[in-house]
């Protein structure tokens, strides 16, 4: 990592770094935690698999019926209008039929019940006329093997069901349970310490003095970090004093893998973050070619990775989603994926000057014809948190773009992709 003097946002002549360049540099510099822990499946939601899971069973483990009806031999049903079969038993889920179905016979069967020997096809009960222990068929079309679920068609014994790096969501949890896995190896939780800097900041629950504002960044950061794979350390508000900033950094570096701060990375007179980081760690100060979120500090403080996010609340959220989230994914061992962008038609004109990539806040909706339409949340100042709360997506406007006109297609990043 290059030292502060060669890479400082205080130098206005320094070339702006593109969002992609910034993300690449960050991803190259951070590493996955190596420690793992063994958890019961029920405690592993949201955690990242450290090892692949290989199935020791077939799923389904036996060939079974997909319908309530009658299990038959397909050769008896080539002409269903003529077929007249005798019902010789029943197979219920969990209570299989012990015998074999012979020619001219069938058995009553329920969804999930074992297909008995001799039978190979299921006719749903709605297509059957039953009279005591005999059935005839209302339906003409019977395909051999219909409504049968075969052993191993979901997962085979020996298959890798989930690879390392997968985040365990609801589907993955169900899948692992379906192959009988009770314990999984996951990466240990990432320790993230964060604090706000600024003499103007007051805590919620107190009355504002003249010139004070409520510290919102710490709460937004905490909300974005509140995930099972992360352990948060909220270090509060640090005043703009050299000694206090220094002490907070040292404390954070002792407990955390990742340190996030907001504020104090511009070049104002009270911005001690920049100065202190230069003394304590190896930090780059980047001028990002993006809006919002131009100043960004990134580097190493002791063993911890450090992000000094801008102070403005929208800049904090944008830089978190565009940079920090990717670093967290890599650090927790999660497989990385490119942001999911969709194309949507602009409902309004979007103003922009060329030079920096913009992440405008948008409201994406689907039209009656299924097409996607995006409108703006209105004023886009980086201090306007309402622009984030009203939005459900970022509209990506590339650096060279001069804006968009109503009807133009634009790239949109929906917020669910950011979770
Ligand atoms: P700074 O980079 O410290 O000069 O901060 C830039 C802007 O963000 C200023 O208007 C600050 O008052 C504001 N700001 C900084 N930290 C916070 C915070 N934790 N919550 C809300 N606004 C903040
Ligand atoms: Mg400040």
């Amino acid at each position: 990592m290059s030292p502060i003097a060669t890479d400082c946002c205080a130098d206005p002549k320094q070339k702006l770094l593109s969002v992609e360049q910034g993300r690449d540099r960050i991803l190259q510099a951070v590493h996955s935690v190596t420690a793992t822990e063994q958890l019961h499946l029920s405690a592993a939601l949201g955690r990242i698999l450290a090892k692949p899971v290989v199935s020791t069973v077939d799923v389904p483990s036996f060939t079974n019926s997909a319908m309530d009806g009658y299990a038959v031999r397909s050769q008896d049903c080539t002409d269903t209008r003529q077929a007249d079969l005798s019902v010789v038993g029943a197979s219920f889920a969990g209570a299989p039929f012990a015998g074999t179905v012979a020619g001219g016979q069938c058995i009553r069967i329920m969804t999930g019940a074992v297909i008995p020997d001799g039978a190979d096809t299921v006719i749903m009960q709605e297509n059957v006329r039953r009279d005591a222990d005999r059935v005839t068929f209302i339906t003409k079309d019977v395909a051999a093997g219909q409504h049968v679920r075969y052993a191993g068609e979901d997962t085979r014994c020996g298959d890798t069901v989930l690879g390392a790096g997968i985040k365990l969501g609801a589907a993955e949890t169900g899948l692992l349970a379906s192959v009988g896995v009770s314990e999984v190896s996951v990466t240990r939780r990432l320790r993230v310490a964060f604090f706000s800097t600024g003499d103007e900041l007051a805590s919620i629950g107190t009355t504002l003095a003249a010139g004070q504002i409520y510290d919102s960044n710490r709460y937004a950061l905490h909300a974005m970090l509140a995930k099972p794979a992360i352990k948060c350390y909220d270090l509060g508000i640090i005043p703009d004093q050299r000694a206090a900033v220094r002490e907070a950094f040292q404390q954070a570096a002792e407990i955390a893998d990742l340190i996030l701060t907001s504020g104090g990375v511009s070049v104002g007179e009270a911005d001690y973050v920049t100065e202190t980081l230069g003394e304590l760690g190896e930090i780059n100060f980047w001028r990002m070619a993006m809006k919002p979120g131009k100043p960004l500090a990134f580097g190493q403080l002791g063993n911890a990775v450090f992000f000094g996010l801008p102070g403005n609340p929208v800049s904090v959220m944008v830089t978190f989603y565009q940079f920090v989230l990717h670093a967290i994914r890599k650090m927790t061992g999660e497989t990385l994926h490119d942001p999911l962008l969709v194309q949507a038609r602009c409902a309004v004109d979007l103003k922009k000057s060329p030079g920096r990539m913009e992440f405008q806040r948008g409201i994406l909706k689907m039209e009656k014809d299924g097409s996607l339409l995006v409108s703006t949340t209105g004023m886009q100042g980086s201090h306007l948190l309402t622009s984030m709360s009203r939005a459900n997506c970022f509209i990506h406007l590339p650096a060279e773009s001069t804006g968009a006109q109503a009807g133009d297609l634009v790239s949109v990043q929906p917020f669910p992709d950011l979770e």
Side-chain angles (χ1 to χ4, degrees):
M1 219 162 277
S2 40
I4 175 171
T6 60
D7 210 2
C8 180
C9 76
D11 175 5
K13 292 194 291 295
Q14 187 212 327
K15 218 171 134 262
L16 294 177
L17 206 61
S18 77
V19 174
E20 291 73 25
Q21 285 169 327
R23 203 178 285 147
D24 285 350
R25 288 193 188 186
I26 288 164
L27 288 177
Q28 270 169 30
V30 305
H31 304 286
S32 172
V33 294
T34 49
T36 61
E37 56 182 314
Q38 200 75 6
L39 291 181
H40 191 267
L41 185 60
S42 58
L45 184 67
R47 303 294 294 269
I48 313 299
L49 267 188
K51 292 192 193 111
V53 178
V54 176
S55 179
T56 57
V57 293
D58 280 346
V59 179
S61 56
F62 51 86
T63 297
N64 67 86
S65 177
M67 292 285 173
D68 291 339
Y70 292 84
V72 300
R73 298 152 54 95
S74 55
Q75 63 267 42
D76 287 347
C77 303
T78 43
D79 183 353
T80 46
R81 299 258 178 206
Q82 300 294 313
D84 175 4
L85 305 178
S86 67
V87 184
V88 295
S91 181
F92 286 85
F97 174 68
T100 298
V101 177
Q105 297 182 338
C106 68
I107 61 148
R108 180 81 171 111
I109 197 162
M110 298 298 164
T111 305
V114 178
I115 303 278
D117 288 345
D120 61 2
T121 298
V122 172
I123 304 199
M124 35 198 292
Q125 61 191 26
E126 292 83 343
N127 292 333
V128 164
R129 193 174 300 116
R130 179 152 182 183
D131 184 10
D133 64 351
R134 304 209 69 80
V135 292
T136 50
F137 301 103
I138 304 164
T139 179
K140 259 208 311 241
D141 307 311
V142 175
Q146 72 178 21
H147 307 319
V148 172
R149 307 191 290 210
Y150 292 96
E153 77 178 12
D154 194 4
T155 303
R156 286 201 174 281
C157 178
D159 281 355
T160 297
V161 278
L162 293 174
I166 295 288
K167 179 153 81 182
L168 297 177
E172 291 75 18
T173 303
L175 179 61
L176 292 179
S178 80
V179 299
V181 165
S182 61
E183 295 232 318
V184 284
S185 170
V186 297
T187 52
R188 76 151 167 79
R189 290 206 285 169
L190 191 71
R191 298 180 290 238
V192 184
F194 56 97
F195 54 87
S196 296
T197 69
D199 279 343
E200 75 280 33
L201 302 178
S203 284
I204 53 174
T206 62
T207 306
L208 293 179
Q212 282 193 318
I213 59 168
Y214 285 120
D215 170 16
S216 61
N217 289 346
R218 217 154 35 91
Y219 293 90
L221 272 176
H222 182 252
M224 293 186 288
L225 290 166
K227 292 177 179 174
I230 294 175
K231 180 160 175 47
C232 286
Y233 297 88
D234 181 346
L235 302 186
I237 299 171
I238 308 300
D240 290 320
Q241 291 160 13
R242 207 170 265 116
V245 170
R246 198 181 170 88
E247 197 187 324
F249 280 141
Q250 281 165 335
Q251 189 197 348
E254 272 166 31
I255 55 175
D257 306 302
L258 176 64
I259 302 168
L260 305 177
T261 67
S262 69
V265 289
S266 32
V267 287
E269 282 181 15
D271 289 336
Y272 294 116
V273 170
T274 311
E275 188 183 301
T276 311
L277 284 171
E279 289 163 19
L280 293 183
E282 275 190 69
I283 308 293
N284 302 298
F285 292 91
W286 292 335
R287 295 169 68 235
M288 303 303 306
M290 66 189 283
K291 194 177 168 187
K294 188 166 161 193
L296 182 75
F298 172 72
Q300 194 83 27
L301 205 60
N303 290 325
V305 170
F306 176 91
F307 280 92
L309 305 179
N312 278 307
V314 179
S315 309
V316 168
M317 294 194 73
V318 170
T319 48
F320 183 93
Y321 284 134
Q322 301 304 326
F323 300 115
V324 182
L325 190 58
H326 297 264
I328 288 177
R329 284 193 179 130
K330 184 161 180 196
M331 293 178 85
T332 55
E334 188 178 349
T335 305
L336 300 176
H337 57 83
D338 286 333
L340 179 69
L341 299 178
V342 297
Q343 298 289 305
R345 217 161 276 290
C346 251
V348 290
D349 292 351
L350 299 175
K351 281 201 214 114
K352 178 184 178 298
S353 341
R356 291 196 273 159
M357 172 158 188
E358 288 194 14
F359 295 90
Q360 297 201 4
R361 275 73 70 206
I363 302 166
L364 182 65
K365 65 172 189 181
M366 196 163 78
E367 293 286 85
K368 284 208 175 71
D369 65 1
S371 62
L372 295 175
L373 189 71
V374 67
S375 56
T376 174
T377 56
M379 287 201 302
Q380 294 289 309
S382 60
H383 59 301
L384 301 171
L385 262 184
T386 47
S387 76
M388 277 301 300
S389 76
R390 288 194 197 114
N392 62 3
C393 65
F394 287 125
I395 306 170
H396 287 208
L397 297 173
E400 65 284 0
S401 150
T402 53
Q405 292 186 331
D408 286 355
L409 276 179
V410 286
S411 282
V412 164
Q413 183 179 17
F415 284 165
D417 183 48
L418 304 171
E419 282 165 2

